[in-house]
Amino acid sequence: MQKVLIVDDEDVLRMLIEDTLEDLEEVELHTAENGREAMNKLSGNNFDLVILDYMMPELTGIELLGLLSEEVKAATPILMLTAKAQEGDRSRAREAGARYFMPKPFSPMELLQIVEGILGDQK
Amino acid sequence: MIRNSFGNMSIKNKYFRIIAGLISLVLLSGMGLFIYINAEQSTLDRNQDALQHKAGTINEMAVTLNEVFFRARGYSLLKSGNELQMAYDALDKLKVVLSDYSALKLSAEEASFKSELETFVDEYQNVILPKAIGFVEQDDYTSLRALASEGNTQAVNEFLTYTKAYKMRSDKQLSDMVDHSLKRTNEFTLLAFGLSTMLLLLFTLMIWRILKILIDPIVKLEAASNSLAAGEAVLLGKLHKQDEIGRLYEAFLNMAHSIQDKEEELMMQNEELHAQQDELQDQQFKLERSLSEIESMMKALDQSSAVAILSPKGIFTHTNENMSDYTGYKNSELIGFTFRLLDLKNMEAARMQQIVGKLSTGGVWSDEVELGMKNGTPAWLHMTIMPYLNDEGKIYQYILIANNITSMKNVQQKLAETLKNTELTKIMLERSNQLNHDITYTLDKQEFAEKFIEFMNRQYAFDSSVFFLVKDEITVVKGVPLANVERYLGSESGNMLYRMQTEKSYIIKRPATEREQGIAPEPVQSYDYYSTVVNAGNEVLAVFCGTRVGHSFNDEEINEIKGMMNRVGLAIERLFMYEEIEHGRRLNRDIVNNVNEGIQFVQMDGDMLQMNQALAQLFDYHDWSEGDLIPQERWTGHFIRMANESEELELFYQKAMSEHFIESSSMKYSIGKDPLKHVDMYAIPVFRRETRFGTLFVHRDITREYELDVMKSELVSTVSHELRTPLSSVLGFTELLLSKTMKPEKQLKYLETIHREAQRLTDLINDFLDLQRMESGTQQYNQEPLNLSELILGVINQYKLSVSHTILLEDEAHNAEVEADRDKIVQVMTNLLSNAIKFSPGASEIKVSLYNEGERIIVQIQDHGLGIPKNQIGQLFQKFRRVDNSASKRIGGTGLGLAICKEIIEKQKGSIGIESEEGEGSTVWFSLPVLYTSGSRHEDDPVRLNTEKEQKPNVMIVEDDYSLSLLLSEELKGKGFRVTHHYHPQQAFDQALKTPFVAIVVDLMLGEELDGWDLIRMLKNDERTEHVPIVISSALDKADKNRINNVQKYLTKPYPPNELTGTLQEIVDNIRQGTGEVLFPDSGHSGE
């Protein structure tokens, strides 16, 4: 059973991603609606993928990555969802440790393919 | 110290000590030598004895050994027992000698010899001899020979040889020793001789020294005595000795000095006598010469001066020829008369007294005296009177000497006159100069005109005058009645200038007016001088009119005045020019100072020549004032320090001011921290006639643009985020719907989500567009009269169904009529209410208050939500500003709502504001001007004047019908009540616990869960609210009697509103009269 954590402050988007990925077999979906919650979940479990929103109140995606230990980051592929498609944000996210990007608005089917690809590599 | 004290000892002592020292030295060394020689001698003797003794012993040993062998050999031949006994005796003796030898001091060789010998003797006695005896007794001579050949005999022979050799060596040693001792004795003799020679030398030295010490001073003394005898000066230095010689020396010195002193004194006396004699001769000679001089002087005096001799009483006893010449009296006419005969001028009694006083004390009087000659002609004499005193000090005659100084006096008087004239001319010149100076340096026309008039009056003695500057209409008047001036100037200027056009100046002669005539006994003439001041173009610049009473103008004066007018013309033109330049300069300065940009001009050498106020404010630099040159290091130091990018600014200045800099360039820098200003600066080289003469720097404050820029880029990122999130949902769910099969419920849920998110997107876009329209000024406002209470109640009504929040309206506005755009105000209200709800997630109550303040109505929306940090309150109404903290970020929004509200309210002549405490909640208010319609029912309402909130009775209406609620509210407010609206029974009850109401109006048909009856029950069951009067307002007929027992009044809808107010008024009146007591809730807390 592979585990995916979805972190987004927008209820609607969280639901969209969850519904997109719900048909994946052997995959367990977890959600967090802010950075704190995500931190808590990440510290207790090993996830095979974290889908992380860039812009969040309290703790942004980048700030969250800054708080994670290097081991966790090395072991966990991170897909950054960002409304900001600017190159600057992307490089900042890469420096912080995110390996994959997806600009908003995104296509759920494309997201599904990418997630399948990442999880397939992880197996 | 020691040497000194030694030097000071007496000679006797000193030499006694030296001699004693020497003798003891001789004794000591002699003694030491004697002891040493003695010791040496005895050692030698001892050694000799020991050696002799040792040699003897060895000799004895050899003899004894020989005897032993001799006896042993004898025994072997004779076999006689006696021989054997003697051999044994010799052996014993040998042992004794050996022991004696061993007791001596032995060298190593001798010791080994001794021990060998001992061993041999022992062996011989104990082994060989008994063996030999045995052989002898057995007559075994073969064995005996063999024994002898074993080496015994050889050993004995060796011993004997050694002994012999030793003896010889010892003898030689002895003779060496004797030689050595002889040599030593010779050495000692030599040493003794050396010592005595040295002693002799020492003695000689000492004696020589003594002689030197004793003889030298004596020789010196002798020489000194000789020179003393010869009468020469004795020059002897002090001898620093205190022995006998020293004292003798000193005594001699003293004697020599005293002799010399005496001699000098005698010499001096002698010289003095000579001098006195010379002087006497000299005096005699002088006396003779003086006598002849006096005689010649007397002659000269007689020739040159008048000489007279007067008796003590002042009677002439002698006069010379000159005297009669000077006075006009003959000698015979003078002699026998007193000096009073002469007509002395200015000779008052007091002066005479003074002169007599001076003469009587023997003093000489001398002065210049004016007198009348006999014929009356005045003459000046310089007189000297000298008294002659007899031995008793009494005056016995006077001598008078006089010189005629009349001609000199005349010259003197003439000179004085000339001087006075020169002085006058000088004053005139000074005045003229002053005027020149004044007209050159006076820059104010009024002042110039005043100075000019003053000058003319003084210089040319005008009694009255007028000076009129044509262009500026400046008139300066001195001594002319104003009426005359006004008449003259007031007439058409054509008239005034008519004659002036043709004649530059003219003089009018007329009889003096009464005023001018003054106290003059006869009629006098006045002369009016008219003159114009023209420029090169013959244009009249000024007019001068002056009046002289009684005397006219001569040609010289007229010419001078004409010249003066030309000069004044030039001066006035110069003044015009100056004013023009000054005006231009001020204009330029004002322009430069009123420009928003900071401007500075820097010369090529770096000194700052000019800067404007904008720059001074920007850099807070106020050292420059007009005309100052600020050295480069001073101003750049300050400017560079102020800027945040000091180094860049310094570099830029350096580059821009360098000579090679010929194109303009610019840079940006910032200044200050709070507030931070952004400045765009550019530099332009300035040329004059193709020569670079400085650099112009322009600093433009671009803070606003900079912030706008930052805000715009923030907006782009915010908008992109805000738009992308709902877009993501719309696109995402649509795609899911299209690509997946799912249950109809889920499809519906997705569609709803899509719809909601699309709506959110629309709102966002609408907000943008609204603001865009408002900013560009294309927004149209449909102003119409409307009632704000009604409008707000309507908006609140829309939130009636909100679960999370209740909105309470507290309406005490007596005049809520405003002129505004209904839709826009609704938009503002909606916006503010949804903000209040959005930002108070933890609190449920929002209070809206309406009240009048002056000619405005104020709407206040108060929440108990997150609140706003103090430092961000001011920025909230700016576009895209949102409260920047985590809690509010979560809530989201476009950041445009408040900006839109502000725009709307301000366009309707209103104002808007926020008060907030972070964590406590916020209060947003806006105010609009009220519209007073004539005949408004509020106009003459007595209660209106009662502005104090506390005194207004507070009534709560619990009614869910919005229009009825509004109707009742209007009626009640009109009667001076404060109205609080509620539509939910539970919330109304909670409110009643907090706020003291005089009455509560309840509708029975309320929400679904609780109705009016429930509310009444709750109120009556709580002791805090049970006493509050309740009025039922219901469409239902009175039903249950029991239920309405504790109700004040039951009004059945529809009823005229004034019935309700009447009822409430009654209740209030009862309270005021104390009949119907109303207790307020315990908390006493007013809900405001």
Side-chain angles (χ1 to χ4, degrees):
Chain A
M1 205 63 155
Q2 285 180 308
K3 288 199 279 185
V4 173
L5 178 63
I6 301 161
V7 189
D8 200 314
D9 59 311
E10 296 274 348
D11 300 348
V12 202
L13 287 181
R14 225 164 42 236
M15 184 175 95
L16 175 65
I17 298 166
E18 253 183 302
D19 285 5
T20 306
L21 304 180
E22 71 185 350
D23 297 337
L24 284 171
E25 282 171 13
E26 295 280 301
V27 170
E28 205 175 280
L29 295 177
H30 297 259
T31 58
E33 63 172 301
N34 56 45
R36 298 244 163 261
E37 206 184 324
M39 278 300 287
N40 289 337
K41 295 210 164 158
L42 276 165
S43 64
N45 299 285
N46 291 322
F47 286 96
D48 297 282
L49 175 64
V50 178
I51 299 173
L52 187 58
D53 188 23
Y54 186 99
M55 271 270 250
M56 282 189 296
E58 264 183 271
L59 207 59
T60 68
I62 298 281
E63 284 164 352
L64 174 69
L65 286 178
L67 290 175
L68 288 180
S69 69
E70 289 301 321
E71 297 95 73
V72 174
K73 277 195 272 187
T76 319
I78 286 152
L79 171 67
M80 188 76 101
L81 280 181
T82 167
K84 298 182 164 184
Q86 283 100 331
E87 193 49 44
D89 293 332
R90 185 170 281 211
S91 60
R92 230 170 290 148
R94 185 175 293 120
E95 273 164 37
R99 273 184 248 166
Y100 307 96
F101 300 93
M102 196 117 197
K104 283 185 196 173
F106 58 88
S107 149
M109 289 305 123
E110 212 179 305
L111 178 69
L112 185 63
Q113 274 175 14
I114 289 175
V115 170
E116 272 179 330
I118 297 169
L119 291 179
D121 289 348
Q122 286 293 103
K123 263 179 191 165
Chain B
M1 286 290 274
I2 292 165
R3 185 176 295 171
N4 266 354
S5 69
F6 183 74
N8 292 341
M9 261 183 214
S10 80
I11 295 174
K12 201 168 71 190
N13 262 339
K14 207 170 3 182
Y15 292 101
F16 177 74
R17 282 182 185 207
I18 293 174
I19 288 166
L22 260 175
I23 288 171
S24 48
L25 188 71
V26 169
L27 280 178
L28 275 173
S29 55
M31 225 144 81
L33 198 65
F34 178 77
I35 291 167
Y36 176 66
I37 293 172
N38 243 13
E40 282 284 300
Q41 205 73 45
S42 65
T43 319
L44 269 174
D45 285 351
R46 253 196 328 273
N47 286 351
Q48 210 169 349
D49 284 353
L51 216 57
Q52 273 171 351
H53 182 64
K54 214 189 251 176
T57 314
I58 291 174
N59 204 30
E60 205 179 338
M61 223 150 49
V63 172
T64 322
L65 199 61
N66 246 344
E67 199 181 333
V68 171
F69 290 113
F70 180 75
R71 293 297 166 200
R73 215 170 281 149
Y75 169 68
S76 64
L77 293 177
L78 304 176
K79 281 188 191 177
S80 139
N82 198 24
E83 283 294 317
L84 188 63
Q85 189 58 47
M86 278 170 81
Y88 276 110
D89 285 350
L91 257 176
D92 287 343
K93 195 181 171 192
L94 182 64
K95 276 184 187 169
V96 172
V97 175
L98 254 175
S99 74
D100 274 358
Y101 184 66
S102 53
L104 289 174
K105 219 161 122 196
L106 297 178
S107 70
E109 190 197 2
E110 285 163 349
S112 77
F113 168 67
K114 180 205 90 178
S115 58
E116 260 175 62
L117 196 60
E118 272 173 349
T119 325
F120 176 76
V121 171
D122 280 349
E123 201 189 333
Y124 190 81
Q125 187 181 6
N126 299 328
V127 182
I128 301 170
L129 199 58
K131 223 186 236 179
I133 294 170
F135 289 137
V136 170
E137 277 177 8
Q138 293 162 9
D139 288 328
D140 189 356
Y141 282 91
T142 326
S143 300
L144 194 64
R145 268 190 306 274
L147 186 69
S149 66
E150 269 171 21
N152 283 329
T153 318
Q154 196 190 343
V156 171
N157 282 339
E158 271 173 23
F159 275 123
L160 285 178
T161 320
Y162 174 78
T163 321
K164 234 177 254 168
Y166 185 82
K167 194 168 174 337
M168 266 167 70
R169 221 164 55 216
S170 163
D171 284 347
K172 194 177 178 282
Q173 217 173 357
L174 209 62
S175 84
D176 280 355
M177 211 177 267
V178 172
D179 283 352
H180 176 71
S181 112
L182 271 175
K183 219 161 112 194
R184 288 301 288 240
T185 318
N186 278 344
E187 276 171 17
F188 288 146
T189 321
L190 215 66
L191 191 69
F193 176 74
L195 192 68
S196 32
T197 315
M198 202 183 73
L199 281 175
L200 197 68
L201 260 170
L202 259 173
F203 267 109
T204 320
L205 195 75
M206 197 189 75
I207 287 165
W208 178 75
R209 177 108 179 96
I210 291 170
L211 282 178
K212 191 171 151 44
I213 290 170
L214 283 174
I215 302 299
D216 270 8
I218 291 170
V219 170
K220 266 189 203 165
L221 276 180
E222 189 197 356
S225 303
N226 283 341
S227 62
L228 190 66
E232 286 164 20
V234 178
L235 291 169
L236 274 178
K238 253 214 154 128
L239 201 65
H240 296 287
K241 274 185 169 181
Q242 291 187 355
D243 53 16
E244 292 86 339
I245 295 287
R247 285 196 291 277
L248 175 67
Y249 197 86
E250 214 161 282
F252 177 78
L253 257 184
N254 285 343
M255 187 190 77
H257 283 318
S258 78
I259 289 173
Q260 273 176 338
D261 286 352
K262 288 263 166 60
E263 199 173 19
E264 269 169 25
E265 209 174 310
L266 271 172
M267 292 273 279
M268 261 157 61
Q269 280 174 1
N270 204 6
E271 269 170 24
E272 214 171 309
L273 275 173
H274 276 293
Q276 278 174 1
Q277 199 179 354
D278 287 351
E279 206 176 325
L280 272 174
Q281 275 179 349
D282 216 38
Q283 275 176 356
Q284 195 182 352
F285 177 70
K286 270 186 193 162
L287 221 64
E288 280 167 10
R289 210 172 58 190
S290 301
L291 262 173
S292 75
E293 271 173 15
I294 287 170
E295 265 171 35
S296 49
M297 262 160 64
M298 279 303 286
K299 267 185 202 155
L301 191 68
D302 215 28
Q303 294 289 313
S304 67
S305 310
V307 178
I309 297 170
L310 290 99
S311 73
K313 286 185 175 163
I315 295 164
F316 287 106
T317 54
H318 167 83
T319 58
N320 68 354
E321 280 303 308
N322 283 339
M323 193 69 187
S324 69
D325 283 356
Y326 293 171
T327 58
Y329 291 96
K330 284 177 188 157
N331 284 353
S332 53
E333 285 172 324
L334 284 169
I335 292 170
F337 291 93
T338 70
F339 66 91
R340 290 179 199 281
L341 177 75
L342 303 173
D343 176 17
L344 296 167
K345 307 276 167 67
N346 301 325
M347 211 34 99
E348 308 84 11
R351 195 176 174 205
M352 192 65 91
Q353 201 66 42
Q354 207 183 346
I355 295 168
V356 171
K358 191 168 185 187
L359 290 174
S360 61
T361 57
V364 177
W365 175 80
S366 179
D367 202 355
E368 289 175 355
V369 177
E370 190 183 6
L371 86 172
M373 286 169 68
K374 194 186 174 188
N375 57 12
T377 24
W380 277 89
L381 294 182
H382 184 272
M383 276 191 192
T384 305
I385 301 176
M386 199 166 30
Y388 273 62
L389 304 179
N390 58 14
D391 296 345
E392 290 150 21
K394 285 223 174 121
I395 295 163
Y396 68 91
Q397 68 175 22
Y398 294 101
I399 293 228
L400 185 154
I401 299 165
N403 281 309
N404 196 342
I405 54 166
T406 313
S407 57
M408 196 182 83
K409 269 282 163 189
N410 287 343
V411 172
Q412 215 173 19
Q413 263 167 8
K414 270 188 190 153
L415 262 174
E417 266 169 42
T418 319
L419 206 68
K420 207 171 148 195
N421 283 340
T422 316
E423 200 65 31
L424 276 174
T425 319
K426 193 181 131 201
I427 290 169
M428 297 278 273
L429 271 172
E430 272 174 1
R431 277 188 202 152
S432 181
N433 261 343
Q434 183 63 39
L435 180 76
N436 274 339
H437 181 271
D438 287 349
I439 63 181
T440 314
Y441 292 104
T442 307
L443 296 173
D444 182 69
K445 282 183 187 154
Q446 179 77 33
E447 198 187 331
F448 167 77
E450 274 165 16
K451 280 190 174 154
F452 177 66
I453 279 268
E454 200 181 322
F455 168 79
M456 289 303 275
N457 289 359
R458 224 170 35 198
Q459 188 81 329
Y460 299 106
F462 284 103
D463 294 297
S464 56
S465 52
V466 177
F467 187 57
F468 175 63
L469 287 166
V470 178
K471 214 180 216 166
D472 298 281
E473 301 200 337
I474 291 172
T475 316
V476 178
V477 178
K478 283 275 156 73
V480 182
L482 271 176
N484 293 11
V485 177
E486 275 165 18
R487 192 197 61 228
Y488 175 64
L489 297 177
S491 66
E492 294 277 307
S493 57
N495 281 350
M496 179 195 93
L497 294 175
Y498 176 70
R499 193 168 169 186
M500 294 282 180
Q501 300 292 352
T502 47
E503 283 174 85
K504 291 250 170 71
S505 65
Y506 53 87
I507 296 165
I508 293 174
K509 182 182 174 190
R510 60 174 169 86
T513 61
E514 248 173 59
R515 186 180 56 81
E516 285 169 343
Q517 189 164 344
I519 56 161
E522 285 166 28
V524 287
Q525 296 294 319
S526 280
Y527 300 87
D528 295 334
Y529 188 105
Y530 288 82
S531 178
T532 54
V533 177
V534 294
N535 63 5
N538 235 12
E539 186 188 349
V540 177
L541 300 174
V543 176
F544 173 80
C545 318
T547 304
R548 265 195 198 172
V549 181
H551 63 138
S552 183
F553 303 87
N554 58 32
D555 289 348
E556 199 185 335
E557 279 175 329
I558 289 170
N559 278 336
E560 263 183 42
I561 292 174
K562 269 186 188 160
M564 189 60 67
M565 290 306 160
N566 286 339
R567 272 161 61 192
V568 169
L570 286 174
I572 292 173
E573 282 218 296
R574 201 179 50 75
L575 277 181
F576 277 130
M577 216 141 74
Y578 168 77
E579 276 186 358
E580 226 165 277
I581 292 167
E582 180 66 12
H583 174 73
R585 198 182 59 79
R586 280 197 193 149
L587 184 69
N588 279 336
R589 194 190 59 197
D590 290 348
I591 290 171
V592 167
N593 271 341
N594 282 299
V595 167
N596 281 334
E597 281 76 22
I599 295 174
Q600 63 179 140
F601 181 77
V602 180
Q603 292 183 161
M604 283 317 286
D605 58 7
D607 292 355
M608 181 165 69
L609 186 65
Q610 178 112 32
M611 67 182 279
N612 68 349
Q613 276 170 7
L615 190 68
Q617 271 166 13
L618 184 66
F619 279 100
D620 193 22
Y621 185 79
H622 305 285
D623 277 8
W624 184 83
S625 59
E626 211 163 333
D628 277 3
L629 255 186
I630 310 277
Q632 182 174 1
E633 57 273 19
R634 245 172 68 200
W635 68 265
T636 46
H638 179 88
F639 282 30
I640 287 162
R641 210 172 40 250
M642 289 290 287
N644 295 330
E645 293 82 10
S646 300
E647 281 171 29
E648 289 89 333
L649 187 63
E650 190 175 10
L651 263 174
F652 182 81
Y653 268 128
Q654 272 172 10
K655 220 181 94 194
M657 288 191 291
S658 77
E659 279 184 49
H660 318 291
F661 171 82
I662 42 165
E663 283 173 5
S664 55
S665 69
S666 68
M667 76 166 281
K668 287 186 172 65
Y669 63 86
S670 64
I671 194 166
K673 277 230 168 64
D674 194 23
L676 179 72
K677 284 184 191 162
H678 294 273
V679 183
D680 182 19
M681 169 201 199
Y682 63 90
I684 311 162
V686 180
F687 292 88
R688 185 180 282 169
R689 290 194 200 92
E690 294 184 2
T691 311
R692 169 94 180 272
F693 81 106
T695 315
L696 183 69
F697 293 96
V698 179
H699 305 249
R700 197 161 68 85
D701 186 344
I702 52 159
T703 312
R704 181 91 194 104
E705 287 96 317
Y706 187 88
E707 283 180 350
L708 268 178
D709 223 44
V710 171
M711 245 151 76
K712 270 195 182 136
S713 56
E714 274 176 10
L715 164 71
V716 169
S717 97
T718 314
V719 167
S720 93
H721 179 80
E722 296 293 338
L723 292 180
R724 274 165 202 261
T725 303
L727 261 177
S728 295
S729 306
V730 170
L731 287 172
F733 283 112
T734 316
E735 198 179 316
L736 283 185
L737 278 172
L738 290 172
S739 55
K740 282 169 89 172
T741 48
M742 58 187 83
K743 290 181 196 161
E745 301 91 74
K746 197 152 199 181
Q747 287 181 353
L748 188 65
K749 189 183 160 198
Y750 280 11
L751 284 173
E752 275 169 7
T753 309
I754 291 168
H755 180 253
R756 198 171 56 244
E757 291 297 299
Q759 187 60 50
R760 186 169 147 194
L761 207 54
T762 315
D763 288 349
L764 206 60
I765 290 165
N766 282 343
D767 270 3
F768 284 140
L769 291 180
D770 268 1
L771 202 64
Q772 179 58 34
R773 214 172 23 243
M774 284 169 188
E775 282 192 329
S776 61
T778 53
Q779 177 65 50
Q780 293 290 317
Y781 291 93
N782 303 316
Q783 301 292 83
E784 57 176 318
L786 57 94
N787 186 295
L788 211 54
S789 294
E790 181 194 325
L791 184 146
I792 285 167
L793 206 55
V795 175
I796 292 173
N797 199 41
Q798 290 172 5
Y799 288 90
K800 213 188 307 191
L801 296 174
S802 164
V803 191
S804 59
H805 291 75
T806 48
I807 299 168
L808 160 74
L809 173 67
E810 199 175 276
D811 185 355
E812 55 181 281
H814 47 81
N815 185 358
E817 299 292 327
V818 295
E819 187 168 35
D821 185 317
R822 179 177 292 274
D823 294 344
K824 295 287 172 232
I825 300 296
V826 169
Q827 189 182 351
V828 169
M829 247 346 261
T830 311
N831 210 325
L832 295 181
L833 278 176
S834 42
N835 266 355
I837 290 170
K838 261 204 293 189
F839 293 105
S840 57
S844 65
E845 191 188 277
I846 290 159
K847 189 164 95 179
V848 180
S849 320
L850 252 92
Y851 56 92
N852 286 102
E853 202 173 89
E855 296 185 352
R856 306 182 80 76
I857 180 160
I858 294 171
V859 181
Q860 209 172 276
I861 296 112
Q862 187 182 8
D863 67 52
H864 301 285
L866 304 172
I868 301 152
K870 274 261 167 337
N871 56 343
Q872 297 183 19
I873 290 181
Q875 309 172 340
L876 278 179
F877 289 104
Q878 294 173 20
K879 267 179 292 178
F880 306 112
R881 292 280 186 181
R882 286 194 296 172
V883 175
D884 190 15
N885 65 27
S886 50
S888 53
K889 246 188 190 165
R890 180 207 299 271
I891 288 154
T894 56
L896 295 173
L898 283 176
I900 293 173
C901 290
K902 186 176 161 76
E903 191 76 29
I904 293 173
I905 293 293
E906 284 179 355
K907 280 276 149 54
Q908 324 248 358
K909 302 188 192 86
S911 52
I912 188 164
I914 288 187
E915 282 131 35
S916 183
E917 192 77 37
E918 198 175 3
E920 301 274 303
S922 317
T923 302
V924 186
W925 59 265
F926 67 86
S927 72
L928 290 169
V930 288
L931 187 69
Y932 283 114
T933 48
S934 58
S936 158
R937 58 196 155 119
H938 309 297
E939 273 300 298
D940 43 13
D941 193 330
V943 192
R944 235 196 94 229
L945 299 168
N946 191 356
T947 50
E948 282 189 49
K949 270 185 174 183
E950 279 71 25
Q951 290 186 9
K952 281 190 174 182
N954 204 343
V955 174
M956 176 153 73
I957 298 175
V958 189
E959 169 70 76
D960 69 345
D961 183 340
Y962 148 63
S963 53
L964 184 66
S965 178
L966 181 67
L967 190 71
L968 294 177
S969 148
E970 285 302 294
E971 176 66 26
L972 287 171
K973 281 196 289 170
K975 291 286 183 251
F977 289 98
R978 184 140 52 117
V979 184
T980 304
H981 293 273
H982 260 290
Y983 42 79
H984 196 279
Q986 183 61 51
Q987 286 151 9
F989 174 67
D990 292 345
Q991 183 72 35
L993 292 179
K994 282 191 263 175
T995 315
F997 291 107
V998 292
I1000 299 175
V1001 182
V1002 183
D1003 179 15
L1004 291 177
M1005 299 277 279
L1006 290 170
E1008 288 161 16
E1009 294 164 30
L1010 298 167
D1011 63 12
W1013 289 118
D1014 294 321
L1015 175 61
I1016 294 165
R1017 185 171 41 76
M1018 276 149 63
L1019 289 168
K1020 288 300 169 189
N1021 287 346
D1022 195 306
E1023 58 176 11
R1024 288 170 291 183
T1025 50
E1026 62 180 356
H1027 48 78
V1028 181
I1030 290 171
V1031 177
I1032 291 178
S1033 148
S1034 175
L1036 300 174
D1037 282 332
K1038 289 182 200 174
D1040 195 338
K1041 282 260 178 179
N1042 289 335
R1043 273 178 147 181
I1044 61 168
N1045 266 349
N1046 44 12
V1047 169
Q1048 203 81 16
K1049 183 101 182 171
Y1050 194 109
L1051 297 169
T1052 311
K1053 292 179 199 170
Y1055 54 88
N1058 59 9
E1059 204 178 324
L1060 176 64
T1061 45
T1063 306
L1064 292 173
Q1065 199 63 56
E1066 243 171 62
I1067 293 169
V1068 172
D1069 288 347
N1070 284 344
I1071 294 162
R1072 284 195 180 143
Q1073 286 156 14
T1075 53
E1077 197 183 349
V1078 173
L1079 293 172
F1080 294 124
D1082 285 343
S1083 64
H1085 171 79
S1086 96
E1088 285 154 310

